[in-house]
Amino acid sequence: MKWLYGLLCLFFLVLFHEFGHFIAAKIFGVKVESFSIGYGPVLLHKTFKGTDWRLSAFPLGGYCGMKGEKEMQTALENNTAICAEPDSLFGIHPIKRALIGFNGPFFNLIFAVLAYSVISMTGYSYYTYSSKITLADEIYPEVHSSARDAGLISGDVIKAINGKTVNDFSDIISIVQINPVKNLKVEIDRNGATLSFVVHSELDKESGTGKIGVSADRNSLIKKEAETYSFFPALLNGCKEAFNVIDMTFKSIGILFKGVQVKNAVSGPARITDMLGTTIKEGFSAGFRTGLVSILELLAVISVSLFIMNLLPVPILDGGLILFALIETIFRKRIPPKVQYYTQFVGLAFIALLFVLGMSSDIIYFIGQIKGN
């Protein structure tokens, strides 16, 4: 059942993305010939206001079929320029075409903002530990502790890292994990005295995160209640949280080039679906509010990832459409169909590489799960 939940969540995010394209196409006068819920063979369809609304066999998202998308292939086969009608994708101004391409990813960003806004209005309670630390090598002798090398000792209470206030152990994790292989200024309280140390973080190549070799003091478990907001402050906080995730995502992408084991750091569709399903099942079993917050937070993170990935300047992705449109605008000349057609193979190769990497990562992950059980 959890796989069904996960598939439905992914399905919704992709459909929301395509609806963004649909809205922009309508605004700029491009005829939307079809809008499908799902891919593959069409099971049901009905034409309404010029659009063929479809329910297709495979519920893995959907697509927004705009007039003129196939004109490039026709022009290539006939060795002619693209002959675009005014209500087709290639018949409008390139900037409008770029905005149509942008609006799909933008809707993913909007969803993330709304999800974090709902979380901010809902509020939630969570368990964490205080910022009092135990050096990790005292619990796991085989682990290296750069915190010990810098002069920290068990019982220190971390108050700030690189000027960012630390309230509990979850703050330590969130700051350190996105700052691997860096000198971190750590301010601590030791028996009432404030001291400062420079700790050089290490890179955990298994997870792709930073670490300084500290663990939480297991005797300092605390329950905390997240602050709740009214509508407009919640919306503002939703924007802040969404852009924080964008910032962390770019930092995480940068970490991939530092020798991380990519098979562990990259998740494919199967593992993402499993994560979503597990989050729904376990979250709602702990209570409605906990389940709602858990699933919205995970969906928001995935939605931000879709926003960033689809804006990559790669042919067949929305970013490729935007790039070509901007080139046409700057040089005031339409890109030849052959150039657009053959560069799509670069995009296909890129997507295929990501797919193979994600699927191989999923297979290794699930084999490990089976062996662990």
Side-chain angles (χ1 to χ4, degrees), residues 105-106 108-109 242-243 245-251 253 301-313 317 319:
F106 182 61
N108 286 129
L109 179 60
F243 282 96
V245 175
I246 291 174
D247 180 55
M248 286 192 293
T249 302
F250 277 113
K251 286 181 179 178
I253 292 172
V301 171
I302 295 173
S303 203
V304 167
S305 298
L306 289 173
F307 166 73
I308 294 172
M309 180 178 173
N310 277 283
L311 287 180
L312 293 176
L317 293 178

Side-chain angles (χ1 to χ4, degrees), residues 167-209:
N167 296 307
D168 52 51
F169 199 79
S170 63
D171 289 338
I172 298 174
I173 295 173
S174 63
I175 296 172
V176 172
Q177 68 180 2
I178 60 172
N179 287 291
V181 199
K182 289 184 180 179
N183 289 327
L184 306 176
K185 182 181 179 182
V186 180
E187 296 176 25
I188 63 105
D189 179 288
R190 180 181 294 171
N191 299 323
T194 300
L195 303 173
S196 180
F197 300 88
V198 175
V199 182
H200 186 74
S201 62
E202 299 176 326
L203 174 65
D204 184 346
K205 293 185 178 181
E206 287 287 331
S207 63
T209 59

